[in-house]
Every structure is written in C-alpha cells, then in structure tokens.
Amino acid sequence: MPSDRRPRRTLAALVVAAATLAGCGSADEQPTGAAAVPAALEQPTTLTFWTWVPNIEKAIDRFETAHPKIKIDVVNAGQGPDHYLRLQNTLDTKIGAPDLAQVEYFALPQFATSGKIADLTPYGVTDLKDRFTASAWSQVLVEDRVYGIPQDTGPMVMFYRKDVFDRLGLEPPTTWDEYRQAGQRIKREEPGTYIASLDPVDFGTVGGLIWQAGGRPFTNRPNKSVGVNLTADAGVDAFAEVWGSMLAEGAVEPATQWTDEWWKAMAEGRYATWVAGAWAQANLEKWIPETSGQWAVAPMPRWDPAKPTAAEHGGSSVAVTAVSKHKAAAVAFAQWLNSDPEGAASLNADVRLFPATKALLEDPAFREQPAPFFGGQPVNQVFAEASRGVSADWQFLPYQAYANTVFDNTVGKAISGESDLGTGLGKWQESITRHGRENGFTVSSP
C-alpha cells in the first residue's frame, strides 16, 4: 500500500464470447479484443488516471518513454472516502470522469456490480492470470469476470519490537496461543505495555485475522444474492475467542490507528507487535524513523501449528471506468503498469507498493534485499512467503464500503469494551443484512 496509507473510513453514500480482433465493435463502438490493446498504443491518446499513490509519476514516465503516443494525466482526487465519493459522483454524472482509477479490492465488487467500471474480460486480460498471485487475481474477479488489474497486495505479517522482546527474553510467538501467553507476560512484567492494539474503527485488521483463521463471513453470488455469516462461522468464532480474551485480559488495548497519539505510542514501544500488511514497512519508516533498528518481522502467528496460513490486509487494483472513451488504451496502460516487469519493479522500488506479480516475488534480488530500518533483515522474504500462503477464496460484499462504515458502531463498540465481540459481530450482521435487503439484495444470514 502507499506509504501514506490511511484507515479504511469508507462512505455510506456509496451504494450501491469476447471478440479477438481489433475493430470488432462493442456497444459503444470502441474496439475490443486482445488485439485491440497493443493496437491502441499506436494511437495518440491522453488517459486520465485517478490515483492517490505518491511518486507514481516515476513509473508513468517509464511507460510514456516506452509508449510515446500515450500520455497519462495523473489526478489525485483524494484517498479513501474522498476518492471514492468523487469517483462515484463523476461516474454518475459522466462529467469529468477518469479513464482509469485506483480501486481497492474491498471496493471493487461494489463498483463492478453497479456497472461503474468496465468488464475487462473482452480485452483478453484473462491471459494475465498466471502473472499474479492467486489471491490478488481472485480479488479482481466478480462473477468470474475481470474488473481490474491487480496492483499491490498486503500479505499480513507480525512486525514486532525487538527491544521489548529481548528485554523480556521472549521469542517471537509462532501460534496465537503463544501470542496470548506473551501478551499476558508483557502485561504482568511491563505495565503500560501491550502485545498489540486493536482498532475499533477499521475492519481491515479484523478481516485479515478472520481470513487467516479460515473464516469466510461474506459470499457474493450472481443476481445480487449475498451471504452474511458473522455468528456461525468457525473462523469468526476463533478470532472472537482469542482476541476477545486478550482484550478482556488487558493484553490488547483498543486504540484507533493512524492518529498522532497512536504513532506516539508506537514510537515509545507501548505496543510490542503490529500485525499488519507488508505496506506497514514503509509506514514505520516514514512516521517513526527514530525507531530504526528496534523492529523485526516474523510470520503471522498460526491458528494451527501444522497448517501455516496467511491472509491479506489491503491491496488495490487499477480499474477502467465504464464511461471511458479509450478503454483499449486504458487496458494497455493498466497492464503495463502492473504486470510488465519494468512497471512492477518501478511500483515497488520507486513507489513502495508490495508486488502482486509472482515474477518479482520470486526474484532473489527482491527477496534478499536487506532492509536497513530492520537492522538489515531481508524482510521481503517474510512478506513473499506470507503472500504465497494466502488462501484465494476470500470475498467482500458488493456493498462492503457501507458495511465498513457501520463496523465502528457495532464490532467497534465491542472492541472498546461495551460488550463481548460475539455480541458486536451479531449487531454488525443485523445491520449489514438489513441494509442489503433495503437496497435490493437477497441476503441470507444465520
């Protein structure tokens, strides 16, 4: 994720046989088909690309050098809610809409289901499948159609404070049982220090923990049929039992992330670990550089020691808008930016996005690169192995953006201590189910 990543506050208002030759017209008379994509690179075209990713101009300069007839007009329309709200509005009015836009995986089904972004399947993009990790590719599919090109992923790992662990003679926990025990000891021997914080506002971390535990609380089926199961899912139950216990014991502190207070606490070593996506590396380096040398990276603790699994938190794609008049050229640019070896390498080296492409993840030079902030540890090895272990069958709701807005008023209140996690998850399920039915979805829930 971008180095200035912010929490996933999202907006309640956001609800919501391929041709093979260039020249085979679609409904809006634009060429489609796999051959139309390279052909579009030879036509003078200016594409507007909405993205919040800092320094992405470096990658775009490389593209424009390789393909001088295509110009990319980069627009930063905000991030998170601001980005999505403006995108939704321009796509509704068809005034000022971009040709391409950055869309996080959790929001992609919502834009696809509402017809705001283009189905890229007719442009032959399914041939790109093997270039990406299975989990990244699965997250750009909606009803087996491709609606975006994966850009980055957020394989989850455990960042931990070496100074705290060394001081207490603790080894990095490899299971959640060990993690809980480490939290109890930290609380006992260093009052005021916690094994971790848990954000009552942002679903991202909780979702990743449930994902890793094997939970699949959301299903997105054809014909606006969805499933919501937050009360009878074994993975959800595992998360609620372990993290609910740690919250009750005072080993985990409820705390809203990304605030100045939270970063101050992180810098002071108040939280001994941060279970987060690989993007957290850039954030630690940017926001608390004074802690350089005090951190290390280990795999996420396991639920079953015999079955190592991983999950993701975050990650995004590049989607082509349904109103674009240059879809083939837009597809060509999105393909190059995210799957071409030069484009993917630039996104990682110049922009600090964690790669979604298998070639870069397996590149020895990438994996063995020492990270000075982490005392020279080759942290990409840990990130890459985590990426390899992510199960590809996680799904988001087609109105996940709305669901995330009511997380803080249900599960978040439980994290903050107003109830147990099971009660909070039940209230979230009720809210999500009611909203879906009120907006034309067929929702099944226990």
Side-chain angles (χ1 to χ4, degrees):
M1 295 303 295
S3 59
D4 61 347
R5 184 179 182 277
R6 287 293 186 272
R8 297 293 170 259
R9 312 288 198 276
T10 49
L11 49 155
L14 185 60
V15 177
V16 269
T20 57
L21 296 174
C24 297
S26 63
D28 54 1
E29 300 302 326
Q30 292 188 44
T32 61
V37 175
L41 293 171
E42 303 305 320
Q43 301 299 318
T45 306
T46 297
L47 299 171
T48 302
F49 177 31
W50 282 19
T51 176
W52 60 81
V53 176
N55 298 322
I56 202 165
E57 289 82 0
K58 294 180 180 178
I60 290 172
D61 286 346
R62 296 174 190 268
F63 170 80
E64 290 180 335
T65 299
H67 303 287
K69 292 187 177 180
I70 308 295
K71 301 300 179 186
I72 308 298
D73 183 11
V74 175
V75 175
N76 185 334
Q79 186 171 350
D82 293 339
H83 172 87
Y84 293 123
L85 184 57
R86 290 185 65 183
L87 181 61
Q88 179 77 44
N89 288 339
T90 60
L91 293 175
D92 285 344
T93 62
K94 300 181 181 178
I95 299 174
D99 296 286
L100 306 103
Q102 186 118 12
V103 180
E104 291 162 282
Y105 296 131
F106 83 87
L108 193 79
Q110 191 154 312
F111 280 96
T113 302
S114 61
K116 301 301 183 187
I117 56 176
D119 176 6
L120 306 185
T121 315
Y123 296 90
V125 297
T126 52
D127 291 345
L128 301 174
K129 175 182 177 181
D130 291 339
R131 298 191 190 185
F132 296 100
T133 66
S135 62
W137 189 254
S138 72
Q139 293 184 81
V140 297
L141 299 179
V142 177
E143 298 182 16
D144 293 327
R145 310 293 288 184
V146 183
Y147 282 89
I149 306 297
Q151 178 156 91
D152 70 301
T153 62
M156 293 181 78
V157 298
M158 183 180 69
F159 297 85
Y160 68 97
R161 290 287 297 244
K162 276 187 89 294
D163 53 340
V164 175
F165 275 72
D166 290 348
R167 196 161 58 237
L168 297 177
L170 288 168
E171 294 294 325
T174 60
T175 67
W176 288 113
D177 282 342
E178 292 178 3
Y179 188 87
R180 182 180 174 184
Q181 293 168 19
Q184 293 169 339
R185 183 169 168 189
I186 289 170
K187 173 180 168 54
R188 184 172 61 250
E189 299 190 17
E190 291 209 0
T193 303
Y194 301 82
I195 186 72
S197 65
L198 188 61
D199 195 335
V201 174
D202 183 20
F203 168 60
T205 301
V206 171
L209 292 168
I210 292 172
W211 184 342
Q212 189 216 18
R216 299 295 181 266
F218 308 129
T219 50
N220 189 0
R221 311 185 189 99
N223 302 317
K224 300 187 71 171
S225 175
V226 302
V228 179
N229 183 3
L230 292 158
T231 57
D233 178 285
V236 176
D237 291 346
F239 155 74
E241 194 279 327
V242 170
W243 283 80
S245 298
M246 292 192 293
L247 285 164
E249 293 165 354
V252 170
E253 184 176 55
T256 302
Q257 296 182 343
W258 309 98
T259 64
D260 291 343
E261 293 77 12
W262 183 77
W263 278 118
K264 182 174 184 290
M266 290 282 281
E268 293 172 345
R270 185 178 178 89
Y271 308 121
T273 72
W274 185 19
V275 180
W279 41 260
Q281 175 191 0
N283 286 274
L284 290 170
E285 294 174 7
K286 177 178 179 179
W287 295 105
I288 48 175
E290 67 272 27
T291 63
S292 177
Q294 295 175 338
W295 292 89
V297 181
M300 198 175 178
R302 302 170 181 173
W303 295 94
D304 182 344
K307 297 178 180 178
T309 57
E312 290 183 0
H313 176 189
S316 60
S317 65
V318 175
V320 177
T321 63
V323 299
S324 171
K325 298 184 183 301
H326 311 289
K327 291 187 177 68
V331 172
F333 167 65
Q335 285 188 184
W336 183 93
L337 181 66
N338 301 306
S339 69
D340 182 273
E342 185 180 7
S346 178
L347 287 177
N348 177 252
D350 299 330
V351 184
R352 306 297 304 276
L353 296 183
F354 190 77
T357 54
K358 291 191 285 190
L360 187 53
L361 287 169
E362 297 302 325
D363 184 346
F366 169 78
R367 294 173 69 102
E368 296 167 8
Q369 180 180 358
F373 185 87
F374 296 90
Q377 181 185 1
V379 295
N380 284 342
Q381 289 185 0
V382 186
F383 301 152
E385 288 305 310
S387 183
R388 182 181 287 176
V390 175
S391 175
D393 56 351
W394 175 268
Q395 289 188 323
F396 290 106
L397 292 168
Y399 51 90
Q400 190 70 47
Y402 168 80
N404 290 358
T405 65
V406 292
F407 176 83
D408 61 340
N409 200 38
T410 53
V411 183
K413 288 188 178 299
I415 291 173
S416 298
E418 292 190 17
S419 70
D420 61 83
L421 278 179
T423 300
L425 288 161
K427 289 182 177 179
W428 196 29
Q429 176 172 291
E430 291 174 5
S431 182
I432 294 171
T433 300
R434 182 171 56 252
H435 175 86
R437 289 171 178 165
E438 289 173 351
N439 285 276
F441 291 90
T442 301
V443 185
S444 61
S445 60

